[in-house]
Amino acid sequence: QWLRAGRMSEKPGLGLIGETGFCKTRGLVTALADALLHVPDDGRSSGYDMLFTSFAFISQSELTRTVSKSLDFGDDGAVARSNLNTLERVDFLILDDLCAGRMTPSVESFLFDLVEGRTMDGYPILFTSNLDGHGIAQKFSDPSMGAAFVRRLSDYCQVVSVTTPPKSVNEVPREDD
């Protein structure tokens, strides 16, 4: 339903939060695949651009190091801006394990700018996290930045708390039982 409403709907993003092992990533990808199979034809022959990445990759990647270097050395930030623009403009950005790792000032800035850019332009953000909003906010060194980050996510994304672990294959009743 969240995807069928389209970009610029009230809450075009989706976040799944809960304990580890509750299949949040699998659920998010399944929801996106199901939604894409049922989205009305909008005449796009080329399909949709998607980027699936983990928080760990972003926090340790060249993207964040580029942002950090532009902050540290005061360059014009053209490369950092180009990298950020790519993430801001992809049709669907899926962030797995949001805020699961170490948050340096450059990672905080990068994430804040990324969420701000996507929300301003109406692009969906899909994320999973083992942390609730309070836990995500606490990962930021500046409490006001953490609160603003969480507020943007909750204002822009339908956040669902996954509270029941999946049944194992052995627990699922078979048709012949």
Coordinates of all heavy atoms in Angstrom, one line a residue, residues 47-80:
G47 N 12.0 0.6 -16.0 CA 11.9 0.0 -14.6 C 12.3 1.0 -13.6 O 12.3 2.3 -13.8
Y48 N 12.8 0.5 -12.4 CA 13.2 1.4 -11.3 C 14.6 1.1 -10.9 O 15.1 0.0 -11.0 CB 12.3 1.0 -10.1 CG 10.8 1.4 -10.3 CD1 9.9 0.4 -10.7 CD2 10.4 2.7 -10.1 CE1 8.6 0.7 -10.9 CE2 9.0 3.0 -10.2 CZ 8.2 2.0 -10.7 OH 6.8 2.4 -10.9
D49 N 15.3 2.2 -10.5 CA 16.6 2.1 -10.0 C 16.5 1.8 -8.5 O 15.8 2.5 -7.8 CB 17.4 3.3 -10.2 CG 17.7 3.6 -11.7 OD1 17.9 2.6 -12.4 OD2 17.7 4.8 -12.1
M50 N 17.3 0.8 -8.0 CA 17.3 0.5 -6.6 C 18.8 0.4 -6.1 O 19.6 -0.1 -6.9 CB 16.6 -0.8 -6.3 CG 15.2 -0.8 -6.6 SD 14.5 -2.4 -6.1 CE 13.2 -2.4 -7.3
L51 N 19.0 0.7 -4.9 CA 20.3 0.6 -4.3 C 20.0 -0.1 -2.9 O 19.3 0.5 -2.1 CB 21.0 1.9 -4.1 CG 22.4 1.7 -3.5 CD1 23.4 1.1 -4.5 CD2 22.9 3.0 -3.0
F52 N 20.6 -1.2 -2.7 CA 20.5 -1.9 -1.4 C 21.9 -1.9 -0.8 O 22.8 -2.3 -1.4 CB 20.1 -3.4 -1.6 CG 19.9 -4.2 -0.4 CD1 18.6 -4.3 0.1 CD2 20.9 -4.7 0.3 CE1 18.4 -5.1 1.3 CE2 20.8 -5.4 1.5 CZ 19.5 -5.6 2.0
T53 N 22.0 -1.3 0.4 CA 23.2 -1.3 1.1 C 23.1 -1.4 2.6 O 22.0 -1.1 3.1 CB 24.0 0.1 0.7 OG1 25.3 0.0 1.2 CG2 23.3 1.3 1.3
S54 N 24.1 -1.8 3.2 CA 24.1 -1.9 4.7 C 24.7 -0.7 5.3 O 25.5 0.0 4.7 CB 24.8 -3.2 5.1 OG 26.2 -3.0 4.9
F55 N 24.3 -0.4 6.5 CA 24.8 0.7 7.3 C 26.3 0.5 7.4 O 27.1 1.5 7.3 CB 24.2 0.8 8.6 CG 24.8 1.9 9.5 CD1 24.5 3.2 9.2 CD2 25.7 1.6 10.4 CE1 25.2 4.2 9.9 CE2 26.3 2.6 11.2 CZ 26.1 3.9 10.9
A56 N 26.8 -0.7 7.7 CA 28.2 -1.0 7.8 C 29.0 -0.6 6.6 O 30.0 0.0 6.7 CB 28.4 -2.5 8.1
F57 N 28.4 -0.9 5.4 CA 29.1 -0.5 4.2 C 29.2 1.0 4.0 O 30.2 1.6 3.7 CB 28.4 -1.1 2.9 CG 29.0 -0.7 1.6 CD1 30.2 -1.3 1.2 CD2 28.5 0.4 0.9 CE1 30.8 -0.9 0.0 CE2 29.1 0.8 -0.3 CZ 30.3 0.1 -0.7
I58 N 28.1 1.7 4.3 CA 28.1 3.2 4.2 C 29.1 3.8 5.2 O 29.9 4.7 4.9 CB 26.7 3.8 4.4 CG1 25.8 3.5 3.2 CG2 26.8 5.3 4.8 CD1 24.4 4.1 3.3
S59 N 29.1 3.3 6.4 CA 30.0 3.9 7.5 C 31.4 3.6 7.2 O 32.3 4.3 7.7 CB 29.6 3.4 8.8 OG 29.8 2.0 9.0
Q60 N 31.8 2.6 6.4 CA 33.2 2.3 6.1 C 33.5 2.5 4.7 O 34.6 2.1 4.3 CB 33.4 0.8 6.5 CG 33.2 0.5 8.0 CD 33.2 -1.0 8.3 OE1 33.5 -1.8 7.4 NE2 32.8 -1.3 9.5
S61 N 32.7 3.1 3.9 CA 32.9 3.2 2.5 C 33.6 4.4 2.1 O 33.8 5.4 2.8 CB 31.6 3.1 1.8 OG 30.8 4.3 1.9
E62 N 33.9 4.5 0.8 CA 34.6 5.6 0.2 C 33.6 6.8 0.2 O 34.0 8.0 0.3 CB 35.0 5.3 -1.2 CG 35.8 6.4 -1.9 CD 37.1 6.7 -1.2 OE1 37.7 5.8 -0.6 OE2 37.4 7.9 -1.2
L63 N 32.3 6.6 0.2 CA 31.3 7.7 0.2 C 31.5 8.5 1.4 O 31.6 9.7 1.4 CB 29.9 7.1 0.2 CG 29.5 6.4 -1.1 CD1 28.1 5.7 -0.8 CD2 29.4 7.3 -2.2
T64 N 31.6 7.9 2.6 CA 31.7 8.6 3.8 C 33.1 9.2 4.0 O 33.3 10.3 4.5 CB 31.4 7.7 5.0 OG1 30.2 7.0 4.8 CG2 31.3 8.4 6.3
R65 N 34.1 8.4 3.6 CA 35.5 9.0 3.6 C 35.6 10.3 2.8 O 36.3 11.2 3.1 CB 36.5 8.0 3.2 CG 36.8 6.9 4.3 CD 38.0 6.1 3.9 NE 37.8 5.3 2.8 CZ 37.3 4.1 2.8 NH1 36.8 3.6 3.9 NH2 37.2 3.4 1.6
T66 N 34.9 10.3 1.6 CA 34.9 11.4 0.8 C 34.3 12.6 1.5 O 34.8 13.7 1.4 CB 34.2 11.2 -0.6 OG1 34.8 10.0 -1.2 CG2 34.3 12.3 -1.5
V67 N 33.2 12.4 2.1 CA 32.5 13.5 2.9 C 33.4 13.9 4.0 O 33.6 15.1 4.2 CB 31.2 13.0 3.5 CG1 30.6 14.0 4.4 CG2 30.2 12.7 2.3
S68 N 34.1 13.0 4.7 CA 35.0 13.4 5.8 C 36.1 14.2 5.3 O 36.5 15.2 5.9 CB 35.5 12.1 6.4 OG 36.4 12.4 7.5
K69 N 36.7 13.8 4.1 CA 37.8 14.6 3.6 C 37.4 16.0 3.2 O 38.1 16.9 3.5 CB 38.4 13.9 2.4 CG 39.3 12.7 2.7 CD 39.8 12.0 1.5 CE 40.5 10.7 1.8 NZ 41.0 10.1 0.6
S70 N 36.2 16.1 2.6 CA 35.8 17.4 2.2 C 35.5 18.3 3.4 O 35.8 19.5 3.4 CB 34.6 17.4 1.3 OG 33.4 16.9 2.0
L71 N 35.1 17.7 4.5 CA 34.9 18.5 5.8 C 36.2 18.8 6.4 O 36.4 19.9 6.9 CB 34.1 17.6 6.8 CG 32.6 17.4 6.4 CD1 32.0 16.4 7.4 CD2 31.8 18.7 6.3
D72 N 37.1 17.9 6.4 CA 38.4 18.1 7.1 C 39.3 19.1 6.3 O 40.0 19.8 6.9 CB 39.2 16.8 7.3 CG 38.5 15.8 8.2 OD1 37.6 16.3 9.0 OD2 38.8 14.6 8.2
F73 N 39.3 19.0 5.0 CA 40.2 19.8 4.2 C 39.6 21.0 3.6 O 40.2 21.8 2.9 CB 40.9 18.9 3.2 CG 41.7 17.8 3.8 CD1 41.3 16.5 3.6 CD2 42.8 18.1 4.5 CE1 42.1 15.5 4.2 CE2 43.6 17.0 5.1 CZ 43.2 15.7 4.9
G74 N 38.3 21.2 3.7 CA 37.6 22.3 3.2 C 37.6 22.5 1.7 O 37.5 23.6 1.2
D75 N 37.7 21.3 1.0 CA 37.6 21.4 -0.5 C 36.2 21.7 -0.9 O 35.3 21.9 0.0 CB 38.1 20.2 -1.2 CG 37.3 18.9 -0.9 OD1 36.1 19.1 -0.5 OD2 37.8 17.8 -1.2
D76 N 35.9 21.8 -2.1 CA 34.6 22.2 -2.6 C 33.5 21.1 -2.4 O 32.4 21.4 -2.6 CB 34.6 22.7 -4.0 CG 35.0 21.6 -5.0 OD1 35.2 20.5 -4.6 OD2 35.1 22.0 -6.2
G77 N 34.0 19.9 -2.1 CA 33.0 18.8 -1.8 C 32.4 18.3 -3.1 O 31.3 17.7 -3.0
A78 N 32.9 18.5 -4.3 CA 32.2 18.1 -5.5 C 32.1 16.6 -5.6 O 31.0 16.1 -6.0 CB 33.0 18.6 -6.7
V79 N 33.1 15.9 -5.2 CA 33.0 14.4 -5.3 C 32.0 13.9 -4.2 O 31.1 13.1 -4.5 CB 34.4 13.7 -5.1 CG1 34.3 12.2 -5.0 CG2 35.3 14.1 -6.2
A80 N 32.1 14.5 -3.0 CA 31.1 14.1 -2.0 C 29.7 14.4 -2.4 O 28.8 13.6 -2.2 CB 31.5 14.8 -0.7

